Every structure is written in C-alpha cells, then in structure tokens.
Amino acid sequence: MVSKTVLDNGAVILSERVPGFSSCALGLWVKTGSRYESSQQAGLSHFIEHMLFKGTERRSAAEIAQLMDGVGAQMNAFTEKEHTCFYARVIEKHFALAWDVLSDMFLHSVFAEEELEREKGVVLEEISMYEDNPEDVVFELFHRTLWPDHPLGLPILGSRAQVSAYGRSDFLRYMKDCYTADRLVVAVAGNISHDELVKRVEKWELPQPESEPNLTVGGFPNAQASKAVLFRDDEQVNLCYGVTGLSASDPRRYAMLVLDSVLGGSMSCRLFQEIREKRGLAYAVGTFQNSYRDCGSFGIYAGTSPDKAEQVLELSRQVVDELCQNGITEAELKRAQEYIKGTLALGLESTSAHLMRLAKTECYQGRYISEAEFDERIDAVTRADVLQAAREVLAPGRFHLAAVGPLRELDGCVAVSSAAELRNCDQLTCKNCNSVK
C-alpha cells in the first residue's frame, strides 16, 4: 500500500508498506541537478552531494560513517541531471537512527572550509576516473552532440577549473535557492508508519522558493544531427548512435520500452543477434534510453575494434531501418512484453528498489504507478504502436554519432585529439563536416 501527503509548503511525503522484508529504505530527493545549474554553477549539485557527508553541527564525517556502519546500514547518494538523492537502507529496528543521521546531514551540514578543500581533491579524482573510462567519455560526448547549447548536454561533475574555484558561499547560496520545500520528495519503503513520517517532516524548517526553477538555460534542446569523434589511444572504439528521445511523461514511452527491448535490450534482441552472435563484431552492443521532464535520448552503444567500427555502424543503421520499415513480429512483441514485466518484478525484490520506483514515479508522473498498472500498459502495446513510435522517434536525419577510440575518422567525421578540447570548445559544430570540434 502506498500513502502520499503533500505539506502546505509543497514537500511531498511518500511511504510504501512492503511486507516480507526485514529492512526499510529511506530517501530524500531534491528536484535539482546539473540541468538547473547556470554556466557559473556547473558541478555544484554533485559537489553538494559530497559535502552533505562531511559533517554537521552535531557530527563529524567520521562519526556519521561510524554510526551507520555500526548498525550495518547502507548509505549513499547520487546526482542526476534533474535530481539529487540521499538514501539509506537499514534493518527496520534501526530506522530511527538512520532517519536522524540522514535528516541531520540534509538540514544541518556545516560545509566546513577544511572539509571543502579536502573534498575538492576527491571530486577532481572522480573527474579523472570518468575521463579514464572511454565508455563514460563517449556517453558524455554523445549527449553533448544532442544538446550542444543546453545544460542537459554538459557533464554532471562540472570542470576541474570550476570545482577548484568554488567556495563555501557558493554552496550555501545554491542550497538556499534549490533545496527548497517545494522541490523535496521524502520517501520510505518498509513497514514504517506514514503518519509518523509526516510528523517528522512537518518539524523541518525548509527554505521557500524565491523564483521558478529554470529548465531552459541556454535554449531548448535541438535535434539537428551532428557527429563527434575523439581520438584516444585505446584498444577499442566506443560509439553511440542515437536521437533525441521521449520525455518521461510521453504516452509513447511504453511502446518505446518494447522497441528498446526488441532492438537492443536483451540477448535475443536484433542488434545483439546480428552484430555479436552472427558476425562476432562486438562483445558489448545494445540500446539505451534516458527520459527527462521534457525530452530524452535514445541510442545504440557498441564497443568494437577500430577496423570494425564502420561495419558496426552500418549494420546498426540497417537494423534500425528494417525495423522502421517493417515493424516487429508478434513473437518479438510477446517476448519483449514478458521480458519487461519480468525484469521489473525481479528488480523489486528489495526495499531499495521499491524506494527508487516510489520516488521516480512521483518526480516524473506526479503519482505512484503500481506494478499492476505498469504491466497493464505494457500488455496494451501493439505492433502498430511500436512501428509508429519507431518511425517518429528514429526518423532519418535525426541521428547523432559520437565515438571515442583509436580512429582518425569515422563516417566522414575527422577526430579531435583531447577531451579538454571537446569540453572547452565554444564553437561545437564544425562548418566543414557538421561534426563536433
């Protein structure tokens, strides 16, 4: 059973009774992330996520870690493009402690100067870790080709120069502006009293918004096709080939889930069978999609050797074109529907999974979507729905290409030599080949 309360200040409180589990999971979602940052604030949402673990008025960073470790709790946080989340999972009898620690971090972090300076080094190392991973780099590059003039296309971590320059006042100002009551979702999955949860949150003193959140800083995302190739002396080429996708509230999203499964979401999918199983051209190949409040991305990812990259790209195009022309079979439809429903059911075998689903559906749909309703909507998808979605979303001329690896050129696009050149370039589109500089 799911319960929901909206406080007078706009904060949303959710709880789900999950029988059969001895654990409970609790989380605090703030509807802010990298897309809400101005060019002078890039990386602040993520840095704040780190700093909330670095000490409060009552506890040091070490004491927070010791308390949670002492009861076997799992505690973490993450920053996305539109949300920042802090969460914990504990045995039910330790809920009160976990709540006290998490709320203390959220409400009373001090952002001590010495901790801030120390944590800068940690975030800089995290940026280096991502830049060392070509798969992370190619996805960042791909989304920049999709949205070159929009915060959605920028890295969540920010740049080294910006991270190094932030001071305590930057964090406090951003939290005052963005960590407001109307952007807060509090969620708990487990056998915890909803009324008690509401009473706990009602005691919080949260700032009120002074202005509406800015969703379109730098212009709305555009769908003009472009290409980007980054030369790196790696063993493989990592490539993404895709389009601007659907928003999280688009009614076609269920058809796109089926399309995703048939095209590249499972071992029996068309891309896996054609590129890996029949031809042995790649170990990793499949599709991905991300949905945001007003747009999304959908694409194909593959890792392959330099001499096979052109062939993998061409085969991917052929598979997409064939699906857009002829649709999917009845057998593919049924297999995809059962695969999607089964994946959801298996994924919900923990209170953490219930927590994440509870909050995500609230953030994007404004209400809880039960497993039964989700299954019903997936079962309602027809072959005609999938074909229509494919032709609308995967239309020719909408595809963007990003590649990272030991290539001087791919699909007519000349490679550049460094990630810094890509990240810091003001003029993204090359006039000669319509590629990312």
Side-chain angles (χ1 to χ4, degrees), residues 159-286:
S159 69
R160 287 188 175 84
Q162 287 170 304
V163 167
S164 300
Y166 288 137
R168 185 172 185 269
S169 62
D170 298 309
F171 294 90
L172 298 179
R173 186 181 308 112
Y174 189 83
M175 288 199 73
K176 181 176 181 293
D177 291 341
C178 298
Y179 277 55
T180 53
D182 62 316
R183 293 194 189 188
L184 177 63
V185 175
V186 179
V188 171
N191 297 314
I192 303 300
S193 165
H194 182 77
D195 291 341
E196 179 61 30
L197 183 62
V198 171
K199 290 177 182 178
R200 289 174 181 268
V201 181
E202 284 178 329
K203 297 176 183 178
W204 290 3
E205 294 183 7
L206 296 166
Q208 295 300 308
E210 297 182 357
S211 61
E212 289 294 318
N214 191 347
L215 288 178
T216 55
V217 176
F220 194 78
N222 67 73
Q224 182 181 359
S226 58
K227 302 172 185 177
V229 180
L230 172 63
F231 178 87
R232 282 176 45 135
D233 192 17
D234 298 321
E235 294 296 322
Q236 277 197 316
V237 173
N238 286 263
L239 62 88
C240 290
Y241 179 65
V243 297
T244 302
L246 304 181
S247 73
S249 59
D250 194 300
R252 298 171 292 172
R253 66 188 183 276
Y254 296 100
M256 283 301 294
L257 285 172
V258 173
L259 187 155
D260 183 22
S261 180
V262 172
L263 185 61
S266 64
M267 290 180 63
S268 64
C269 72
R270 294 189 180 189
L271 285 167
F272 191 90
Q273 289 296 315
E274 186 67 33
I275 293 175
R276 172 172 163 159
E277 297 299 277
K278 291 183 181 179
R279 302 172 188 265
L281 297 175
Y283 173 77
V285 60

Side-chain angles (χ1 to χ4, degrees), residues 68-90:
M68 297 303 277
D69 287 349
V71 295
Q74 299 170 354
M75 185 171 68
N76 212 329
F78 58 83
T79 304
E80 298 179 333
K81 292 185 182 293
E82 295 184 322
H83 300 100
T84 305
C85 172
F86 307 87
Y87 65 95
R89 179 169 172 252
V90 293

Side-chain angles (χ1 to χ4, degrees), residues 319-434:
V319 172
V320 170
D321 290 345
E322 200 282 328
L323 191 151
C324 289
Q325 289 174 13
N326 302 315
I328 66 175
T329 67
E330 188 66 25
E332 285 178 318
L333 173 64
K334 296 303 181 185
R335 186 163 57 243
Q337 288 170 327
E338 294 305 313
Y339 179 85
I340 293 166
K341 292 185 296 181
T343 299
L344 174 61
L346 292 174
L348 289 176
E349 293 189 346
S350 75
T351 51
S352 294
H354 281 268
L355 175 74
M356 297 299 169
R357 179 170 174 75
L358 187 64
K360 185 175 182 180
T361 56
E362 171 62 32
C363 288
Y364 282 118
Q365 276 76 47
R367 66 182 184 88
Y368 178 67
I369 296 178
S370 68
E371 184 180 355
E373 180 183 347
F374 177 84
D375 288 354
E376 183 179 338
R377 289 179 177 268
I378 290 295
D379 284 336
V381 173
T382 66
R383 291 169 59 196
D385 294 333
V386 176
L387 180 58
Q388 181 180 356
R391 289 176 173 175
E392 291 172 352
V393 178
L394 307 181
R398 299 190 70 238
F399 277 82
H400 301 249
L401 171 66
V404 175
L407 287 175
R408 296 299 179 184
E409 182 179 331
L410 179 63
D411 199 41
C413 180
V414 178
V416 296
S417 59
S418 73
E421 183 179 351
L422 285 167
R423 178 172 291 176
N424 298 324
C425 182
D426 292 327
Q427 283 291 340
L428 189 64
T429 303
C430 173
K431 295 178 181 179
N432 295 324
C433 65
N434 193 36

Side-chain angles (χ1 to χ4, degrees), residues 279-340:
R279 302 172 188 265
L281 297 175
Y283 173 77
V285 60
T287 50
F288 61 90
Q289 60 178 326
N290 301 290
S291 293
Y292 306 111
R293 289 186 60 177
D294 51 4
C295 60
S297 64
F298 183 93
I300 296 166
Y301 164 79
T304 188
S305 57
D307 59 321
K308 298 173 182 175
E310 291 279 3
Q311 188 179 3
V312 168
L313 181 59
E314 180 56 31
L315 282 170
S316 298
R317 286 176 172 147
Q318 291 176 14
V319 172
V320 170
D321 290 345
E322 200 282 328
L323 191 151
C324 289
Q325 289 174 13
N326 302 315
I328 66 175
T329 67
E330 188 66 25
E332 285 178 318
L333 173 64
K334 296 303 181 185
R335 186 163 57 243
Q337 288 170 327
E338 294 305 313
Y339 179 85
I340 293 166

